[in-house]
Amino acid sequence: MSVQNPVFIPGPTNMPESVRKACDMPTIDHRSPTFARLFKPAVAGVKRVLKMAEGEVIILPSTGTGGWEAAVSNTLSPGDTVLAARFGMFSHRWIDLCQRHGLNVEIIETPWGEGAPLAAIEAALKADTSGKIKAVLATHNETATGVRSDIGGIRRAMDAAGHGAMLFVDGVSSIGSMPFDFAGWGVDIAVAGSQKGFMLPAGLAILGVSPKAIAAMETAKLPRTFFDFKDMLSSYARGGYPYTPAVGLIAGLAHSIELLEDEGLEAVYARHHRLAEGVRRAVAAWGMTPFAASPALYSDTVTAVKVPEGCNGTDLVQLAATKYGMAFGVGLGEVAGKVFRIGHLGMLTDAMVLSGLAVAEMCMADLGWPVKLGSGVAAAQEHYRGTAPAMALAAE
Ligand SMILES: *Cc1c(COP(=O)(O)O)cnc(C)c1O
């Protein structure tokens, strides 16, 4: 693997040089006002990125997986029921985590490649007349299959069922790259990680928590210590942490949000959509299709490319790494070998994406796949040429 090439795994993502520098700082006392000055803008920035109107932001030294655990352990009790659809490796892992915590997961098995099944969710909630379902879990962007689910639609299904469950959303591979509307969708907990849309090294779980989820802490009996929101919030009130925070990453987070907001969140989302569309045109030119079942489900942060019969996606990923020093994502779980994944989120430009597409094509040719060199690159070039926003050179 070359450390010079960009990565095309769907996280960790490429890091802007200035974000790396922002993380690189001398030791400071995390109980001093210096830490509070650096921490508060990060918290306020996350609130804006999530579009929160109320509630709290919790930033834990952890990863997205720890964010899942923090969400359920702070709000639920052993034996509580949660409702979740399973349609990929990440929705599966959150379900598995809940089961290992002694929760009863009502699982809606959904074919991989599909998104959250709104009608089935509404039906399950309507059938729950005793209100035993305490939370609905939703994977906004299923990173294994490249599928975006309709979180606003889940909220409407919950409202249509008149059900009072909380809504917990895994936004690890969408937040900061695709539109997210915590307040508008009535989200109770949103989970993000530092190493995807926020373009940082791994090491932070970033959560938005609604007043309703905070109130649920009072009765929740699952054990928690390191992830206890109550400890966090009481320390926050004094500008600090109950233990040693990841100071450099928090400084980096404040800076990465500055970069996102300088570009403009809407412009960031438009850039991701445009880059993703170029990748999809390349995939079509290769005679392949995204694994996602329909265009409405296409993720703007990762494309799982269905490989032709008789080809193995993992071979491409291995060859790209060993021969060309470039990283793509392998197929996970039941799509292992059937797809390879192109991550297109975080710090990324047209030129970077074209380099990834070009290397993917070289691998396909090397492996004898029925693909003409340059075909996907040309399709993406046409898209990028035709849609490039004017560069604001004067402002730089
Ligand atoms: C990456 C990812 C996770 C897991 O996050 P870690 O930081 O690796 O623990 C969870 N959910 C989704 C959708 C992801 O893409």
Side-chain angles (χ1 to χ4, degrees):
M1 197 68 52
S2 160
V3 294
Q4 294 295 324
N5 285 336
V7 295
F8 294 94
I9 44 177
T13 63
N14 301 295
M15 283 186 277
E17 202 52 34
S18 66
V19 170
R20 292 178 58 186
K21 286 185 175 145
C23 294
D24 181 2
M25 55 179 290
T27 306
I28 61 160
D29 175 6
H30 59 279
R31 306 199 187 279
S32 71
T34 309
F35 176 69
R37 274 200 295 280
L38 153 173
F39 181 51
K40 283 181 179 160
V43 167
V46 171
K47 279 188 181 159
R48 294 192 299 273
V49 172
L50 294 181
K51 279 201 169 178
M52 294 173 74
E54 50 182 3
E56 302 283 350
V57 165
I58 308 263
I59 301 175
L60 300 161
S62 183
T63 70
T65 305
W68 288 339
E69 179 160 335
V72 299
S73 66
N74 277 281
T75 54
L76 300 168
S77 299
D80 275 356
T81 297
V82 299
L83 178 68
R86 173 154 55 196
F87 46 80
M89 191 49 104
F90 292 90
S91 41
H92 163 69
R93 284 191 187 148
W94 202 4
I95 288 168
D96 174 57
L97 181 144
C98 289
Q99 290 171 329
R100 292 201 222 175
H101 277 76
L103 295 168
N104 171 42
V105 188
E106 193 172 319
I107 303 171
I108 304 176
E109 297 292 356
T110 306
W112 285 37
E114 297 284 347
L118 303 185
I121 291 171
E122 184 173 332
L125 292 170
K126 276 191 172 140
D128 177 33
T129 48
S130 63
K132 70 178 169 38
I133 296 171
K134 300 296 178 219
V136 176
L137 311 187
T139 304
H140 185 202
N141 190 72
E142 175 50 80
T143 318
T145 56
V147 164
R148 173 206 327 233
S149 284
D150 177 4
I151 305 300
I154 295 178
R155 166 48 65 197
R156 287 190 293 281
M158 294 172 73
D159 291 347
H163 200 287
M166 293 178 284
L167 174 57
F168 295 170
V169 180
D170 171 351
V172 177
S173 63
S174 57
I175 288 167
S177 309
M178 282 158 40
F180 196 90
D181 190 356
F182 188 95
W185 297 338
V187 175
D188 290 296
I189 299 187
V191 179
S194 49
Q195 80 276 24
K196 300 196 182 174
F198 289 111
M199 309 172 288
L200 288 157
L204 297 177
I206 300 163
L207 296 97
V209 187
S210 75
K212 183 168 164 179
I214 294 198
M217 282 178 348
E218 301 303 329
T219 50
K221 296 202 171 49
L222 277 176
R224 55 199 182 265
T225 306
F226 187 70
F227 289 147
D228 197 321
F229 289 169
K230 205 175 247 178
D231 293 348
M232 292 295 292
L233 291 173
S234 63
S235 304
Y236 273 22
R238 299 188 301 272
Y241 256 67
Y243 41 72
T244 316
V247 175
L249 289 175
I250 291 170
L253 177 62
H255 177 66
S256 95
I257 293 170
E258 230 171 71
L259 291 184
L260 292 174
E261 293 187 322
D262 281 352
E263 184 176 351
L265 286 172
E266 293 307 319
V268 169
Y269 303 147
R271 172 168 56 83
H272 280 81
H273 179 71
R274 186 174 156 275
L275 293 174
E277 187 53 35
V279 170
R280 293 189 282 260
R281 301 236 175 155
V283 170
W286 294 332
M288 299 177 203
T289 52
F291 186 77
S294 70
L297 299 172
Y298 289 168
S299 160
D300 281 342
T301 60
V302 54
T303 300
V305 183
K306 228 191 294 180
V307 303
E309 266 314 302
C311 300
N312 186 325
T314 304
D315 291 345
L316 181 146
V317 174
Q318 277 169 358
L319 187 64
T322 52
K323 184 168 176 186
Y324 300 109
M326 197 172 268
F328 296 95
V330 294
L332 302 172
E334 64 178 65
V335 292
K338 294 181 191 158
V339 305
F340 75 97
R341 292 176 302 148
I342 304 176
H344 34 79
L345 73 164
M347 182 193 69
L348 219 53
T349 63
D350 301 1
M352 290 162 83
V353 173
L354 289 169
S355 74
L357 296 174
V359 169
E361 282 181 357
M362 289 197 284
C363 294
M364 291 173 194
D366 293 348
L367 292 165
W369 293 14
V371 164
K372 186 169 172 293
L373 275 183
S375 57
V377 170
Q381 283 171 322
E382 287 300 351
H383 181 66
Y384 296 152
R385 247 164 40 87
T387 56
M391 287 262 277
L393 284 178
E396 309 239 326

Coordinates of all heavy atoms in Angstrom, one line a residue, residues 63-65 68 90 139 141 143 170 172-173 195-196, ligand 1:
T63 N -14.8 4.6 18.9 CA -15.1 4.6 17.4 C -16.6 4.5 17.3 O -17.4 4.4 18.3 CB -14.4 3.5 16.7 OG1 -15.1 2.2 17.0 CG2 -12.9 3.4 17.0
G64 N -17.1 4.4 16.0 CA -18.5 4.3 15.8 C -19.2 3.1 16.5 O -20.3 3.3 17.1
T65 N -18.5 2.0 16.6 CA -19.0 0.8 17.3 C -19.3 1.2 18.8 O -20.3 0.8 19.4 CB -18.0 -0.3 17.2 OG1 -17.7 -0.6 15.9 CG2 -18.5 -1.6 17.9
W68 N -22.5 3.0 19.1 CA -23.7 2.2 19.1 C -23.9 1.7 20.6 O -25.0 1.7 21.1 CB -23.4 0.9 18.3 CG -23.4 0.9 16.9 CD1 -24.0 1.9 16.1 CD2 -22.8 -0.1 16.0 NE1 -23.8 1.5 14.7 CE2 -23.1 0.4 14.7 CE3 -22.2 -1.3 16.2 CZ2 -22.7 -0.4 13.5 CZ3 -21.7 -2.0 15.1 CH2 -22.0 -1.5 13.8
F90 N -23.3 -3.7 8.6 CA -23.3 -2.8 9.7 C -24.6 -2.8 10.4 O -24.6 -2.8 11.7 CB -22.9 -1.4 9.2 CG -21.4 -1.4 8.7 CD1 -21.1 -1.7 7.4 CD2 -20.4 -1.1 9.7 CE1 -19.7 -1.7 7.0 CE2 -19.1 -1.2 9.3 CZ -18.7 -1.5 8.0
T139 N -29.8 2.2 10.2 CA -28.5 2.4 9.6 C -28.7 3.3 8.4 O -29.3 2.9 7.4 CB -27.9 1.1 9.1 OG1 -27.8 0.2 10.3 CG2 -26.5 1.3 8.6
N141 N -26.7 4.9 6.3 CA -25.9 4.5 5.1 C -25.3 3.2 5.4 O -24.3 3.1 6.2 CB -24.9 5.6 4.8 CG -24.2 5.4 3.5 OD1 -24.8 5.7 2.4 ND2 -23.0 5.0 3.5
T143 N -22.9 0.8 4.8 CA -21.6 0.9 4.1 C -21.2 -0.4 3.4 O -20.3 -0.4 2.5 CB -20.5 1.2 5.2 OG1 -21.1 2.3 6.0 CG2 -19.2 1.8 4.6
D170 N -27.6 5.2 13.0 CA -26.2 5.1 12.7 C -25.9 5.9 11.5 O -26.3 5.6 10.4 CB -25.9 3.6 12.4 CG -24.5 3.4 11.9 OD1 -23.8 4.4 11.6 OD2 -24.0 2.2 11.8
V172 N -22.7 6.8 10.8 CA -21.2 6.8 10.8 C -20.6 7.1 9.4 O -19.7 7.9 9.3 CB -20.6 5.5 11.3 CG1 -19.1 5.5 11.3 CG2 -21.1 5.2 12.8
S173 N -21.3 6.6 8.3 CA -20.7 6.8 7.0 C -21.5 7.8 6.2 O -21.4 7.9 5.0 CB -20.5 5.5 6.3 OG -21.8 4.9 6.1
Q195 N -13.6 9.2 11.7 CA -12.7 8.8 10.6 C -13.4 8.7 9.3 O -12.8 8.2 8.3 CB -11.9 7.5 10.9 CG -12.7 6.2 10.7 CD -13.6 5.8 11.9 OE1 -14.0 6.7 12.7 NE2 -13.9 4.6 12.0
K196 N -14.6 9.2 9.2 CA -15.3 9.1 7.9 C -15.6 10.6 7.4 O -14.6 11.2 7.0 CB -16.5 8.2 8.0 CG -16.0 6.8 8.4 CD -17.0 5.7 8.3 CE -16.3 4.4 8.8 NZ -17.2 3.3 8.8
Ligands
LIG1 C1 -17.5 2.4 9.8 C2 -18.9 2.1 10.3 C3 -19.3 1.7 11.6 C4 -18.2 1.3 12.6 O1 -17.4 2.3 13.0 P1 -16.0 2.0 13.7 O2 -15.6 3.4 13.8 O3 -15.2 1.2 12.7 O4 -16.3 1.3 15.0 C5 -20.6 1.6 11.9 N1 -21.5 1.9 11.1 C6 -21.3 2.3 9.8 C7 -22.4 2.5 8.9 C8 -20.0 2.4 9.4 O5 -19.8 2.8 8.1

